[in-house]
Amino acid sequence: MRTQVGIIGAGPAGLLLAQLLAVRGIDSVVLENRSRDYVQARIRAGILEQGTVDVLTGAGVGERLHREGLRHDGIYLQYPGHRQHLDFPGLCGRSVWAYGQTEVVKDLIGARLAAGQQIEFEISGTALHDLETDRPRVTYADSAGVQQVLECDVVAGCDGFHGPSRPMLPAALQQTWVRDYPFAWLGILADVAPSTDELIYAWHPDGFALHSMRSPSVSRLYLQVDPDERLESWSDDRIWSELQHRMAFEGWQLQTGPITDRSITPMRSFVSAPMRHGRLFLAGDAAHIVPPTGAKGLNLAVADVTVLCEALTELLAHGRAGLADTYSGTALRRVWRATHFSWWMTSMLHASGDDFEAQLQLSQLRYVTSSPSAAQSLAENYTGLPLR
Ligand code: FAD
Ligand code: PHB
């Protein structure tokens, strides 16, 4: 098999790259080791920056997003006794949208298959070869177990944190930065109308809590827990009462409902550079991870492939390598801004057990909720800085 761009991974990065390339007439094949049902059901991120919405709309996959997505004009920042709304349009002229990553993935898979373009699900043994030549190859076994070879001009490693692409960078050329945080998030999805109009980010001495949503009838909520916490220790009652306790506010009541999904996710910052080696280009979680407190993971993946698509179009349609050569530097500047913002939000909102730190956090929260310039900085980063 031959294609121009071999894309490894059918997450948001790989699927959107394929869609953006198709709009420009560039051929690609998407290779995914999981099943279609699995990738469409994996509950992850839920907040899209304005720029992400614009890119999806421009790629022709914004129709359902505009119909069903919920525009959010701010967030509430809370600490005991205070719940302050930050008005994003007033602070920075932009908004964000609540629309689940699962829905983005469904829309992208639907568009690609409807256009007769290829996604190979349930492959195994993915291996990359000859990346330093201009004829790289990907070998794998297809869903029937038959060995396949995909010859490409370029390979896009969009295979997430655990995929095989990043390890192909020679160790001597690769630099990584890691920060493991001493906490995790217990996340639930529940069939109950959100108890709030905007997301609530709540600081509490017993740990952070977040109220998010997926639709007018589905809520998404998170609790800070220890990284070694076990899901079995959390009954439905315990989860709901801890959420109510940490988000308590006078005159406000958290509505409860059946929990349909639950998971515990450890929190980590990770950056790997460069994001390109020879004819291999990395995008999304394959190159970097942020803790979810800034709602940046999915948006960074979208920003990476937007820049990468331009670079590959220049390279493959016009034979010009300039943007491919600057891809890694361009993408990493945005990655580090989002890494800083995500670390900052995480540091401001999570209980560490250190009382000195707690006082600094409360001081920072009072500052962000009272100073328009501090609030503007949060709003600008949360809604997403311009692509370049
Ligand atoms: P992924 O979505 O990870 O996609 C990579 C794809 O590559 C996957 O489909 C994988 O199956 C496939 N793949 C892997 N190995 C191979 C192989 N060998 N061959 C073929 N295919 C392969 N962000 C937020 O902002 N908010 C959240 O609440 C949030 N929650 C998260 C919860 C979890 C459990 C995780 C892991 C991430 C979460 N994130 C969250 C981050 C966000 O979801 C990611 O940043 C986003 O999914 C990145 O998209 P991606 O396409 O780069 O990677
Ligand atoms: C979510 O809805 O899953 C979500 C929202 C905001 C975050 C993280 C996750 O900061």
Side-chain angles (χ1 to χ4, degrees), residues 8-14 31-34 39 42-46 101 123 126 158-164 185 214 220 222 265 283-286 292 295-298 301:
I8 308 179
L31 302 174
E32 167 62 49
N33 62 351
R34 302 287 194 160
V39 299
R42 202 163 35 188
I43 305 297
R44 289 187 175 176
Q101 179 169 329
I123 68 158
T126 316
C158 303
D159 42 5
F161 187 67
H162 300 287
W185 279 13
R214 286 291 178 274
R220 175 86 168 138
Y222 297 96
T265 311
D285 278 17
K296 287 283 162 260
L298 169 58

Side-chain angles (χ1 to χ4, degrees), residues 3-324:
T3 189
Q4 289 176 287
V5 184
I7 300 177
I8 308 179
L15 290 166
L16 179 59
L17 177 62
Q19 180 73 11
L20 291 169
L21 290 170
V23 169
R24 286 158 187 77
I26 294 181
D27 184 54
S28 66
V29 171
V30 179
L31 302 174
E32 167 62 49
N33 62 351
R34 302 287 194 160
S35 69
R36 180 179 180 182
D37 285 349
Y38 182 90
V39 299
Q40 293 193 162
R42 202 163 35 188
I43 305 297
R44 289 187 175 176
I47 295 293
L48 310 185
E49 295 172 1
Q50 183 70 59
T52 295
V53 172
D54 294 344
V55 170
L56 292 169
T57 307
V61 287
E63 192 265 331
R64 196 163 67 94
L65 160 58
H66 285 280
R67 202 158 20 92
E68 297 177 14
L70 308 170
R71 198 183 86 215
H72 283 263
D73 286 339
I75 57 170
Y76 294 103
L77 274 184
Q78 174 170 326
Y79 51 97
H82 300 264
R83 180 178 289 178
Q84 175 75 37
H85 186 250
L86 301 189
D87 169 38
F88 289 163
L91 288 163
C92 68
R94 294 194 295 274
S95 301
V96 294
W97 297 70
Y99 190 69
Q101 179 169 329
T102 45
E103 307 312 306
V104 174
V105 165
K106 280 182 212 162
D107 294 346
L108 285 165
I109 291 176
R112 184 162 179 86
L113 297 181
Q117 290 148 355
Q118 205 171 350
I119 311 179
E120 295 252 338
F121 289 104
E122 299 181 69
I123 68 158
S124 54
T126 316
L128 294 72
H129 314 269
D130 304 332
L131 298 169
E132 290 168 13
T133 73
D134 56 10
R135 279 286 174 275
R137 291 175 301 126
V138 184
T139 56
Y140 61 96
D142 66 21
S143 58
V146 178
Q147 206 55 39
Q148 301 285 354
V149 181
L150 178 63
E151 294 182 349
C152 331
D153 294 327
V154 157
V155 176
C158 303
D159 42 5
F161 187 67
H162 300 287
S165 294
R166 190 179 63 253
M168 294 304 292
L169 265 85
L173 300 180
Q174 191 191 22
Q175 199 174 358
T176 59
W177 296 263
V178 189
R179 167 70 50 98
D180 284 307
Y181 300 89
F183 21 77
W185 279 13
L186 189 168
I188 61 161
L189 199 65
D191 281 338
V192 57
S195 307
T196 177
D197 55 342
E198 305 276 31
L199 271 63
I200 304 170
Y201 287 80
W203 182 96
H204 191 279
D206 294 341
F208 170 72
L210 170 62
H211 191 328
S212 181
M213 61 196 74
R214 286 291 178 274
S215 75
S217 57
V218 176
S219 296
R220 175 86 168 138
L221 299 112
Y222 297 96
L223 285 169
Q224 176 191 341
V225 296
D226 287 337
D228 55 5
E229 191 68 62
R230 289 152 42 89
L231 264 183
E232 303 80 69
S233 314
W234 289 82
S235 67
D236 291 16
D237 282 350
R238 181 175 175 208
I239 291 172
W240 286 117
S241 68
E242 193 62 21
L243 285 165
Q244 171 66 42
H245 168 63
R246 295 189 195 177
M247 288 196 281
F249 189 66
E250 203 186 339
W252 182 81
Q253 183 65 39
L254 177 65
Q255 301 304 317
T256 67
I259 296 175
T260 57
D261 188 274
R262 67 189 80 209
S263 62
I264 291 181
T265 311
M267 297 182 79
R268 170 182 294 162
S269 294
F270 174 85
V271 181
S272 168
M275 288 171 63
R276 180 226 180 146
H277 177 66
R279 288 277 175 139
L280 170 66
F281 295 80
L282 301 179
D285 278 17
H288 42 74
I289 301 277
V290 288
T293 329
K296 287 283 162 260
L298 169 58
N299 293 294
L300 269 186
V302 169
D304 283 356
V305 298
T306 306
V307 174
L308 181 55
C309 175
E310 273 181 53
L312 296 183
T313 306
E314 280 288 293
L315 183 67
L316 301 177
H318 308 295
R320 291 193 289 259
L323 291 180

